[in-house]
Amino acid sequence: MDAKIKLVVTGASGMLGRQVLAEAQKRANIDAIGLSFTRTRAGLQTLDLTDEPAVREFFAREKPQAMIHCAAERRPNVAGDDPQGTRLLNVHVPGILAREALLHGTYFVYISTEYVFDGLDPPYDVEDTPKPLNFYGQTKLDGELATLKANPKAAVLRVPLLYGRVEYEGESAVSVLLGPAKDTSKVHEIDAAQIRFPTCVDDVACVLLDMVEVNARDVNGEGVRGVFHVSSTRSMTKYDMCVFFAQTLGIANTDHLVAASEPPSGAGSVQRPKNTQLSNRSL
């Protein structure tokens, strides 16, 4: 019987990380370790990924065969409010992890975003030139570059807007829309201009683990490396999602939801791409 693949999942307390860990635990050939820091809990190891000596000690001690890096600042508004902290987590940390992974023979997968594109010419293939519109997208692109520079054997998986089982409504940009969908006490203007492709974390987790397994079976030394995309093919605006939620909850009259033809603007708003559909061709 082949030895199990020792896999480390960073950001294992977050929505995607939890699902990657849960799916890994179903696979008999994978032995998974979950890492967290700000939202640590029983069953996870605590590690500050910005602490380079601690990261080096972790790799030397655990010697993982693979690492899926889910930890990141994923909120565009928050990223802009803390540029230094966001660059540390989204750019510097992936470079550290990718370097250590190369030194220890660990297959490394970095999670990126469709926000590396400007949304003007979809669908986007992996060969298309990134052009982020906001600071968050720029940090994720810089994280990609840091990863692949430090570790040419690494992989980058770009994902779109994600949804899945959440611990609180605001945990994802999809579930947060339950708020206005349920609140019939007032009118809510909801963005109907920007097109998204909401994708389930269960599917993304399966793709990530398939990448790990295929890479482990590679006999030619090429591995699963470079940039890949995974995305649903169903398009929805935030307004579409709100109406869907309301109707699913049995709210027949959705007059409290008004389609806004222009994206949000003004204080606190962040420029976002109009349509960042990702092509799945590379998978």
Side-chain angles (χ1 to χ4, degrees):
M1 181 178 177
D2 293 337
K4 288 188 175 184
I5 301 168
K6 191 171 189 179
L7 167 69
V8 173
V9 181
T10 73
S13 60
M15 183 178 67
L16 176 59
R18 290 196 305 270
Q19 188 56 38
V20 173
L21 195 60
E23 179 63 29
Q25 291 167 345
K26 298 177 187 176
R27 303 198 181 195
N29 62 331
I30 295 179
D31 184 12
I33 298 171
L35 299 181
S36 65
F37 187 59
T38 57
R39 293 168 60 189
T40 194
R41 62 194 65 185
L44 302 180
Q45 292 189 29
T46 301
L47 179 64
D48 180 358
L49 299 176
T50 67
D51 184 340
E52 293 190 43
V55 168
R56 288 195 295 269
E57 193 278 330
F58 175 83
F59 270 93
R61 182 182 73 247
E62 297 293 346
K63 298 179 174 60
Q65 278 77 53
M67 173 178 280
I68 297 174
H69 181 44
C70 299
E73 177 48 72
R74 59 169 183 79
R75 301 162 295 180
N77 293 66
V78 174
D81 291 339
D82 181 17
Q84 185 175 353
T86 299
R87 287 199 65 83
L88 180 64
L89 188 57
N90 287 3
V91 183
H92 185 63
V93 163
I96 294 171
L97 296 177
R99 181 194 65 208
E100 291 301 312
L102 182 64
L103 289 173
H104 290 272
T106 303
Y107 177 54
F108 184 72
V109 185
Y110 171 74
I111 308 298
S112 190
T113 172
E114 88 277 39
Y115 272 42
V116 300
F117 296 111
D118 61 12
L120 298 179
D121 190 24
Y124 290 96
D125 211 334
V126 294
E127 289 90 3
D128 291 325
T129 302
K131 188 179 179 182
L133 292 183
N134 57 43
F135 176 72
Y136 161 71
Q138 186 64 57
T139 65
K140 292 301 289 181
L141 175 59
D142 290 346
E144 292 183 12
L145 298 174
T147 293
L148 297 174
K149 180 179 179 180
N151 187 342
K153 296 181 179 180
V156 170
L157 184 68
R158 293 176 181 149
V159 301
L161 180 68
L162 298 179
Y163 69 91
R165 286 169 286 277
V166 296
E167 296 182 340
Y168 57 95
E169 275 188 11
E171 190 174 19
S172 87
V174 174
S175 58
V176 74
L177 298 174
L178 282 165
K182 293 185 296 184
D183 181 13
T184 59
S185 67
K186 59 183 180 180
V187 172
H188 301 270
E189 283 199 8
I190 309 296
D191 177 22
Q194 296 170 335
I195 301 167
R196 296 292 176 257
F197 292 79
T199 300
C200 183
V201 292
D202 299 47
D203 296 327
V204 176
C206 288
V207 168
L208 286 163
L209 294 172
D210 287 349
M211 291 171 68
V212 167
E213 291 180 340
V214 170
N215 187 78
R217 293 196 300 267
D218 176 66
V219 294
N220 297 318
E222 291 299 319
V224 183
R225 64 178 72 179
V227 180
F228 301 89
H229 293 169
V230 61
S231 174
S232 166
T233 56
R234 180 183 180 183
S235 64
M236 299 183 81
T237 65
K238 287 186 177 181
Y239 173 76
D240 295 331
M241 289 181 249
C242 275
V243 171
F244 173 81
F245 284 146
Q247 294 176 342
T248 301
L249 292 169
I251 302 172
N253 187 341
T254 58
D255 289 346
H256 64 295
L257 301 173
V258 176
S261 59
E262 295 294 330
S265 60
S269 63
V270 173
Q271 186 180 15
R272 299 167 194 257
K274 179 176 175 57
N275 182 343
T276 50
Q277 181 181 9
L278 298 175
S279 166
N280 291 314
R281 185 183 63 82
S282 61
L283 285 177

